[in-house]
Amino acid sequence: MTHDQVPELHGYGVRWDPEERCYRVRNEMTGEWLCQDSGGLKGFSSFTDAWSAWRVFEMHKRPGEH
């Protein structure tokens, strides 16, 4: 799924989906969305869980990381 296909989501990496009322995870380097095994977008009810998944999904050094 490309960024253009989900314009209603906002944020960087962890995005709030207002229609589904959950967080979605996007790799900002590749534009790829984190999906379930079934192929649908994976949703998280907790920002902390989504943030943890994003840190694994988008693997590159962030400011302050060594």
Side-chain angles (χ1 to χ4, degrees), residues 27-55:
N27 183 321
E28 298 296 334
M29 302 299 285
T30 66
E32 179 182 8
W33 290 91
L34 182 60
C35 293
Q36 302 174 23
D37 292 338
S38 64
L41 288 178
K42 188 163 188 165
F44 297 87
S45 58
S46 160
F47 178 84
T48 303
D49 291 343
W51 178 260
S52 295
W54 174 71
R55 290 180 58 85

Side-chain angles (χ1 to χ4, degrees), residues 3-64:
H3 177 64
D4 295 338
Q5 292 174 305
V6 190
E8 69 275 4
L9 300 184
H10 51 85
Y12 180 89
V14 175
R15 298 172 178 224
W16 176 249
D17 183 342
E19 287 186 19
E20 297 296 322
R21 299 186 52 80
C22 65
Y23 294 98
R24 307 287 189 188
V25 173
R26 181 172 185 254
N27 183 321
E28 298 296 334
M29 302 299 285
T30 66
E32 179 182 8
W33 290 91
L34 182 60
C35 293
Q36 302 174 23
D37 292 338
S38 64
L41 288 178
K42 188 163 188 165
F44 297 87
S45 58
S46 160
F47 178 84
T48 303
D49 291 343
W51 178 260
S52 295
W54 174 71
R55 290 180 58 85
V56 173
F57 188 57
E58 185 176 318
M59 295 173 41
H60 71 280
K61 291 188 187 231
R62 290 161 194 81

